[in-house]
């Protein structure tokens, strides 16, 4: 397709012209254009011209409010993806892709096309586009961190509260699409994504969002780059953040990510995990004393020694650690192994899967272990009756219209226990927005509901900040629980499979035991039969001793015969190989000679009368072929051959004169024959007259004698005439052969071959040049 035809077709489809092709026909034309451009040597010029045409078309025709035009443009760009450079996608990002990613009503195929185009551009790292692609990756990460909705930013939360439903859908759609693009890019190029995250990790304001994104990235089932992440500097940045950041929300999200990564490191990156043990213990130590490390906990005066202060801090950390140890079950290998065994033997989790490590680690918690033990026992009837008598308890709503919120302590305790005890909590009257009473000022409660606040009060900002933190923590915990549930389901499936295997193994063992008893009875019977057979074999052994000797003798003879056959076979195979090689060479020669055969057959039909005479010259032809092959070596003999040529010229002149004399003699013979024929006619006339006049017997006898003598002379003359004709034909043939030979000698003497200088052109040439 022409480069000018495609933009015209796209324009007609965008403008919905009557003669416009359908979308499927347009995409077929685009595919044909891609094939033509792929094989064209002027690909860059064609792409540049197409880019300018599409830009002009977008500027003149495109309507951003039309989803149909957006769908068409994305479909055309998606089909042009095989030849589009990444710079083209980058140039279209703000014009087409960014509005499309913000639009919730955009069809799913078009949204998929936009994501695939962006992900494909992020992966292309050719030399000419490496820097622009790198900048585009960083820009996408900046858009995700700064332009998308940030749950950890108070300004974004306040802005979100003032948006209508449509604007919220657009912002949610925009963030979800950016996350999807980054996750797909991370699945294909994990190291590049980790590098970009590591670069933005240096900004403290972005760490919470990056932690939430990494939680999604690690929880994705397609994440298979744990070993790569373990060796990446991003891991050290995560550990450094957990050791230095002062935000509890950031540290909570970071701990959730670390809990997900530790089982993956244990399975896929054990060596790197050992190097992180010091940092991991430091993070654990900091988390244990998180609430006991404000600056005010240290004395301001220097009267108390610093060693005593550090000893007090260390004692507090030990107390928290002991509490942690009491809440968890120690692994049995801590008792079974000593320091030597721990360092020399392999890790016990070498053959573990990630789900098994996660499940067993969660069972080290005393509460989870107690729940697991209780699940093995059925509840008693009294407990069932007590459970049947329980009724759901409602948590009283919070009144925030006053300056001070009143919350029952028992309600907080009940809610916390319900959430931490894995009980079913039913949420009634769920709302998608915060209550309007939250944003009502105390001084404005009496003035009416129509008045609007000009700025957010302090207590509302505090409440929003707390709710924002709780929302992030709850989302983080929900994602962690979903990930933990997925790992537990995998572990349960493996345990169920092991149980089925154990049951089948037990059934198979019982079947093997029954078979073993039957086999033992059969062995007793077979042993009895074996003894009988041994007795028969001992008697038969003596009988067949001589027969065996004869067989050995025959076997030796057969072996000798076989050996002779083998030698003969080897000889025949060798001869076969030689014959095959000969056949291959002859085949090549035959292929070269086929072209000559056609010409020779044509010449044979033309000179069939000469072919009969050529059989007598086959030996001379072979000598001539040898003479031609050695012609370059016998160049020194040209002078002698020149003399032969002169002699042949002389003989040719003599033979020419002889032919002329023969022709003259033939002419004289023909004239004599005509005179004889006239005489014969006269004699016949006389004989007829003699017969009519009835001459005498004597005269008749003389006439008959004369006629007989004339007949004899006539027959002799005819034989002589025939002999002269044969000699004349032979001389003509010899003259033709001499002319051909003279032409050959002339061509050879002048240094090139003529048209009649083929190797088998003159069969009599060898008679003039004897074999040297």
């Amino acid at each position: 397709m022409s480069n000018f035809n495609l933009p015209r077709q796209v324009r007609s489809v965008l403008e919905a012209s009557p003669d416009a092709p359908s979308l499927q026909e347009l995409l077929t034309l685009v595919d044909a254009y891609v094939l033509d451009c792929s094989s064209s040597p002027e690909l860059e010029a064609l792409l540049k011209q197409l880019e300018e045409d599409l830009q002009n078309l977008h500027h003149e025709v495109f309507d951003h409010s039309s989803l149909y035009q957006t769908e068409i443009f994305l479909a055309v760009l998606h089909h042009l993806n095989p030849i589009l450079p990444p710079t083209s996608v980058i140039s279209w990002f703000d014009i087409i892709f960014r509005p499309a990613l913000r639009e919730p009503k955009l069809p799913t195929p078009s949204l998929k096309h936009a994501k695939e185009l962006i992900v494909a551009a992020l992966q292309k790292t050719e030399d000419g586009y490496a820097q622009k692609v790198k900048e585009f990756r960083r820009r996408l990460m900046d858009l995700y961190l700064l332009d998308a909705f940030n749950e950890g930013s108070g300004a974004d939360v306040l802005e979100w509260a003032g948006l209508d439903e449509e604007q919220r859908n657009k912002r949610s759609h925009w963030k979800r699409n950016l996350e999807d693009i980054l996750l797909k890019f991370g699945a294909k190029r994990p190291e590049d994504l980790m590098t970009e995250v590591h670069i933005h990790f240096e900004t403290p304001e972005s760490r919470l969002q990056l932690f939430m994104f990494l939680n999604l990235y690690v929880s994705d089932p397609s994440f298979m780059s744990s070993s790569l992440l373990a060796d990446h500097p991003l891991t050290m940045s995560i550990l450094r953040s957990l050791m230095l950041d002062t935000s509890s929300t950031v540290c909570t999200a970071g701990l959730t990510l670390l809990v997900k990564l530790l089982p993956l490191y244990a399975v896929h990156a054990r060596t790197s995990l050992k190097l992180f043990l010091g940092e991991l213990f430091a993070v654990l130590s900091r988390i244990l004393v998180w609430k006991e490390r404000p600056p005010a906990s240290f004395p301001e005066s220097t009267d108390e020694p610093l060693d005593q202060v550090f000893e007090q801090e260390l004692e507090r950390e030990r107390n928290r650690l002991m509490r942690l140890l009491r809440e968890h079950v120690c692994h049995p290998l801590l008792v079974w192994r000593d320091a030597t065994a721990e360092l020399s033997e392999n890790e016990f989790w070498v053959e573990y899967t990630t789900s098994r490590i996660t499940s067993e680690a969660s069972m080290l918690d005393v509460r989870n272990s107690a729940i697991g033990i209780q699940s093995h026992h059925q509840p008693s009837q009294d407990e069932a009756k007590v459970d049947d008598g329980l009724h759901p308890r409602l948590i009283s709503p919070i009144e925030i219209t006053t300056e001070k919120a009143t919350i029952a302590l028992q309600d907080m305790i009940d809610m916390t226990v319900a959430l931490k005890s894995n009980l079913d909590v039913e949420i009634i009257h769920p709302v998608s927005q915060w209550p309007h009473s939250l944003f009502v000022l105390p001084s404005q409660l009496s003035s009416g509901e129509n008045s609007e606040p000009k700025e957010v009060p302090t207590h509302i900002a505090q409440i929003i900040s707390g709710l924002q933190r709780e929302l992030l923590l709850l989302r983080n915990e929900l994602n962690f629980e979903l990930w933990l549930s997925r790992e537990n389901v995998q572990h349960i499936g493996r345990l169920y499979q092991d149980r089925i295997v154990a049951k089948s193994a037990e059934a198979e063992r019982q079947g093997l035991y029954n078979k073993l008893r039957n086999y033992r009875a059969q062995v007793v019977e077979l042993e009895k039969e074996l003894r009988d057979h041994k007795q028969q074999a001992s008697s038969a052994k003596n009988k067949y001793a001589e027969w065996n000797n004869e067989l050995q003798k025959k076997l030796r003879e057969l072996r000798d015969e076989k050996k002779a056959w083998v030698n003969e076979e080897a000889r025949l195979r060798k001869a076969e190989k030689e014959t095959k090689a000969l056949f291959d060479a002859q085949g090549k020669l035959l292929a070269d000679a086929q072209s000559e055969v056609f010409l020779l057959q044509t010449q044979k039909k033309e000179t069939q009368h000469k072919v009969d005479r050529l059989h007598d010259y086959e030996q001379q032809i072979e000598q001539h072929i040898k003479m031609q092959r050695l012609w370059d070596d016998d160049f020194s003999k040209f002078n002698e051959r020149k003399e032969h040529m002169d002699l042949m010229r002389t003989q040719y002149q003599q033979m020419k004169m002889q032919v002329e004399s023969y022709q003259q003699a033939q002419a004289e013979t023909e004239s004599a024959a005509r005179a004889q024929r006239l005489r014969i006619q006269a004699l016949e006339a006389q004989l007829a007259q003699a017969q009519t006049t009835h001459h005498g017997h004597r005269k008749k006898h003389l006439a008959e004698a004369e006629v007989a003598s004339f007949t004899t002379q006539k027959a002799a003359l005819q034989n002589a005439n025939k002999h002269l004709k044969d000699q004349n034909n032979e001389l003509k043939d010899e003259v033709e052969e001499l002319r051909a030979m003279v032409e050959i000698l002339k061509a050879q003497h002048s240094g090139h071959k003529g048209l009649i200088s083929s190797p088998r052109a003159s069969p009599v040439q060898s008679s003039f040049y004897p074999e040297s």
Side-chain angles (χ1 to χ4, degrees):
M1 174 181 285
S2 175
N3 190 24
F4 302 99
N5 192 15
L6 180 60
R8 185 167 56 252
Q9 296 292 340
V10 176
R11 177 186 291 271
S12 63
V13 175
L14 290 175
E15 294 177 348
S17 300
D19 57 344
S22 62
L23 180 59
Q24 189 63 34
E25 294 176 351
L26 177 63
L27 297 180
T28 304
L29 295 177
V30 174
D31 293 335
Y33 177 78
V34 169
L35 291 177
D36 294 340
C37 288
S38 300
S39 59
S40 175
E42 301 178 354
L43 177 60
E44 296 182 359
L46 293 175
L47 290 178
K48 185 177 180 181
Q49 182 64 32
L50 178 62
E51 184 75 17
E52 294 178 357
D53 294 338
L54 292 179
Q55 291 283 355
N56 296 332
L57 183 62
H58 178 270
H59 180 70
E60 297 172 1
V61 181
F62 191 78
D63 184 9
H64 291 280
S65 61
S66 175
L67 295 180
Y68 175 71
Q69 291 187 356
T70 304
E71 181 181 357
I72 292 174
F73 233 93
L74 289 175
V76 170
L77 291 177
H78 182 263
H79 282 259
L80 288 173
N81 187 30
I83 60 174
L84 279 182
T87 53
S88 179
V89 178
I90 295 172
S91 64
W92 286 104
F93 181 77
D94 291 327
I95 305 174
I96 294 294
F97 295 109
R98 190 170 179 177
L101 296 177
R102 288 178 179 271
E103 182 57 51
K105 298 180 182 180
L106 189 68
T108 303
S110 300
L111 183 62
K112 183 179 179 182
H113 292 166
K115 292 179 181 179
E116 289 179 355
L117 283 168
I118 296 174
V119 173
L122 292 174
Q123 296 180 51
K124 296 178 180 179
T125 57
E126 289 81 0
D127 295 336
Y129 313 115
Q131 184 63 28
K132 292 185 179 180
V133 172
K134 186 176 180 181
E135 294 174 357
F136 185 52
R137 294 174 183 171
R138 190 158 302 171
R139 185 186 178 195
L140 276 181
M141 186 62 69
D142 290 336
L143 288 174
Y144 176 73
L145 296 176
L146 303 177
D147 190 56
F149 174 64
N150 182 9
E151 297 88 345
S153 173
D156 287 357
V157 173
L158 293 176
E159 183 183 359
W160 179 270
L163 297 176
D164 56 4
E165 190 67 23
E166 183 179 358
Q167 294 295 328
R168 290 182 181 181
N169 289 336
K170 285 186 177 181
R171 298 199 66 177
S172 300
H173 203 68
W174 169 241
K175 182 175 182 179
R176 185 163 54 251
N177 289 333
L178 285 177
E179 283 181 351
D180 194 14
I181 290 172
L182 292 175
L183 289 176
K184 289 182 179 180
F185 172 63
K188 297 179 183 289
R189 303 292 293 269
E191 186 175 3
D192 295 336
L193 178 64
M194 294 173 191
T195 303
E196 292 298 327
V197 173
H198 176 65
I199 293 172
H200 289 80
F201 211 82
E202 300 297 330
T203 306
E205 293 79 6
S206 303
R207 288 176 189 167
L208 180 58
Q209 273 188 288
L210 291 175
F211 272 130
M212 303 298 289
F213 173 74
L214 288 175
N215 272 301
L216 293 176
Y217 181 52
V218 174
S219 301
D220 192 74
S222 61
F223 178 70
M224 302 296 292
S225 308
S226 54
S227 59
L228 184 63
L229 180 58
D231 298 331
H232 200 273
L234 179 60
T235 303
M236 291 305 301
S237 298
I238 294 172
L239 295 175
R240 194 178 300 111
S241 173
L242 292 174
M243 288 187 290
L244 299 178
D245 277 339
T246 58
S247 173
S248 60
T249 308
V250 174
C251 289
T252 302
L255 283 175
T256 305
L257 174 64
L258 190 61
V259 170
K260 294 180 182 180
L261 288 177
L262 286 178
L264 296 173
Y265 288 170
V267 175
H268 303 290
R270 294 188 296 273
T271 304
S272 301
L273 180 60
K274 294 177 182 178
L275 302 177
F276 298 149
L277 286 179
E279 288 79 2
L280 292 174
F281 281 121
V283 171
L284 178 61
S285 175
R286 188 193 183 205
I287 299 303
L288 287 175
V289 296
W290 179 268
K291 294 182 180 181
E292 298 182 3
R293 294 187 58 183
S297 62
F298 293 95
E300 296 180 359
S301 62
T302 58
D303 297 337
E304 190 175 0
L306 292 178
D307 295 340
Q308 186 176 356
V309 175
F310 288 130
E311 186 65 28
Q312 292 176 1
E313 292 295 325
L314 183 60
E315 184 64 26
R316 293 174 185 172
E317 187 172 349
R318 287 175 180 173
N319 294 333
R320 296 295 299 273
L321 182 60
M322 291 301 296
R323 188 185 307 169
L324 181 66
L325 291 176
R326 285 193 297 271
E327 294 176 355
H328 290 77
V329 180
C330 295
H331 199 278
L333 290 182
L334 293 176
V335 181
W336 295 344
R337 285 186 178 182
D338 54 4
T340 305
E342 186 70 24
L343 294 175
S344 60
E345 297 181 4
N346 294 329
E347 296 84 356
F348 66 91
W349 68 83
V350 171
E351 298 180 356
Y352 281 16
T353 59
T354 305
S355 58
R356 182 175 179 181
I357 292 176
T358 305
S359 301
E360 292 189 4
S362 63
M363 292 304 295
L364 294 178
D365 192 341
V366 175
R367 291 170 295 184
N368 295 335
S369 179
I371 295 174
I373 294 173
Q374 290 176 4
S375 64
H376 291 284
H377 303 281
Q378 296 294 334
S380 61
Q381 295 180 357
D382 297 336
E383 294 174 351
K385 292 179 180 179
V386 172
D387 293 339
D388 293 339
L390 293 177
H391 298 283
R393 186 171 180 271
L394 298 177
I395 304 299
S396 60
I398 300 174
E399 181 65 30
I400 60 174
T401 57
T402 60
E403 288 290 342
K404 183 182 294 184
T406 303
I407 302 174
L409 181 60
Q410 187 62 38
D411 292 341
M412 296 176 61
I413 295 174
D414 293 342
M415 179 58 69
T416 303
V417 172
L419 291 175
K420 294 297 184 180
S421 302
N422 296 326
L423 297 178
D424 293 334
V425 180
E426 182 181 0
I427 301 175
I428 61 174
H429 304 300
V431 293
S432 60
Q433 299 181 358
W434 295 327
H436 293 286
S437 59
L438 180 65
F439 300 97
V440 179
L441 293 174
S443 60
Q444 295 174 346
L445 291 175
S446 60
S447 62
E449 297 180 356
N450 297 328
S451 60
E452 296 181 357
K454 296 182 179 180
E455 60 181 6
V456 180
T458 306
H459 76 284
I460 295 179
Q462 292 177 355
I463 293 173
I464 291 176
S465 178
L467 291 175
Q468 173 189 351
R469 181 180 179 276
E470 291 298 327
L471 178 61
L472 289 176
L473 294 178
L474 288 174
R475 285 187 178 180
N476 186 38
E477 187 172 357
L478 175 62
N479 292 331
F480 177 72
E481 292 297 333
L482 291 176
W483 173 80
L484 189 62
S485 300
R486 188 187 68 190
E487 298 296 331
N488 288 334
V489 167
Q490 294 180 0
H491 186 58
I492 289 169
R494 187 186 62 81
L495 292 177
Y496 181 71
Q497 185 179 4
D498 294 343
R499 183 180 179 184
I500 293 176
V501 171
K503 287 184 178 180
S504 61
E506 179 64 24
E508 186 178 0
R509 187 185 66 80
Q510 189 64 29
L512 292 174
Y513 179 74
N514 295 332
K515 289 182 180 180
L516 179 62
R517 289 189 300 177
N518 296 331
Y519 289 157
R520 285 178 179 175
Q522 293 178 4
V523 166
V524 174
E525 296 178 358
L526 292 174
E527 287 180 350
K528 183 178 179 181
E529 294 179 359
L530 180 61
R531 287 193 296 270
D532 296 338
H533 285 301
K534 284 183 178 179
Q535 292 177 359
Q536 294 177 3
S538 60
S539 61
K541 183 178 180 180
N542 298 326
K543 293 181 181 179
Y544 293 117
E546 296 180 357
W547 182 69
N548 288 332
N549 294 330
E550 293 178 359
L551 288 179
Q552 292 293 333
K553 184 177 179 181
K554 291 181 180 180
L555 182 61
R556 286 193 296 271
E557 294 177 356
L558 291 174
R559 285 178 179 174
D560 295 338
E561 187 176 358
K562 182 180 179 181
K563 186 176 180 181
W565 287 352
V566 169
N567 295 332
E568 182 67 18
E569 181 183 5
R571 186 181 64 79
L572 292 176
R573 285 182 178 178
K574 183 178 180 182
E576 182 182 6
K577 290 181 180 179
E578 295 177 354
T579 306
K580 286 182 178 180
L582 181 60
F583 284 167
D584 294 338
Q586 290 179 351
K588 293 180 180 179
L589 295 175
L590 181 62
D592 296 337
Q594 282 180 350
S595 59
E596 297 179 1
V597 168
F598 179 76
L599 298 175
L600 292 175
Q601 288 178 353
T602 305
Q603 294 177 1
K604 180 180 178 182
K605 292 178 181 179
E606 295 177 354
T607 59
Q608 186 63 34
H609 62 283
K610 296 180 181 180
V611 173
D612 296 335
R613 298 180 59 198
L614 293 177
H615 293 292
D616 298 334
Y617 299 127
E618 289 180 354
Q619 185 176 1
Q620 297 178 0
I621 291 172
E622 295 296 330
Q623 293 176 358
H624 176 64
I625 293 173
K626 292 180 182 180
M627 182 272 295
Q628 286 184 342
R629 292 177 180 175
L630 299 176
W631 178 257
D632 294 335
D633 297 335
D634 296 339
F635 187 80
S636 60
K637 299 180 180 180
F638 281 168
N639 295 327
E640 297 178 0
R641 292 182 179 178
K642 183 177 180 182
E643 297 176 357
H644 287 290
M645 186 174 66
D646 296 336
L647 180 60
M648 289 171 61
R649 288 178 178 175
T650 305
Q651 292 177 355
Y652 172 70
Q653 295 294 333
Q654 293 177 359
M655 294 176 69
K656 184 177 180 181
M657 294 173 63
Q658 188 176 2
V659 167
E660 291 177 354
S661 63
Y662 284 160
Q663 289 177 352
Q664 186 178 0
Q666 183 179 2
E668 294 176 355
T669 305
E670 289 178 354
S671 60
R674 285 195 298 271
Q676 291 295 332
R677 282 195 297 271
L678 294 174
R679 184 180 178 186
I680 288 171
Q681 292 176 0
L683 291 175
E684 287 178 354
Q686 292 178 4
L687 179 60
Q689 187 178 3
Q691 289 178 357
T692 54
T693 54
H694 300 284
H695 289 290
H697 179 71
R698 181 178 179 183
K699 194 173 183 177
K700 182 180 180 180
H701 179 71
L702 292 175
E704 290 178 355
E706 188 176 359
V707 170
S709 62
F710 178 76
T711 304
T712 303
Q713 291 179 0
K714 180 181 178 181
L717 290 173
Q718 288 178 351
N719 292 330
N721 189 12
K722 183 179 180 182
H723 180 67
L724 290 174
K725 287 182 179 180
D726 294 337
Q727 287 183 353
N728 190 14
N729 292 330
E730 291 179 358
L731 290 174
K732 288 181 178 180
D733 293 337
E734 289 179 1
V735 168
E736 291 179 359
E737 291 175 358
L738 288 173
R739 289 178 179 175
M741 184 173 60
V742 168
E743 293 294 333
I744 292 172
L745 293 175
K746 286 180 179 180
Q748 292 177 353
H749 183 67
S750 60
H752 59 85
K753 294 184 179 181
L755 296 175
I756 57 172
S757 61
S758 59
R760 305 176 65 90
S762 178
V764 298
Q765 187 176 0
S766 59
S767 62
F768 294 96
Y769 300 101
E771 183 177 0
S772 58

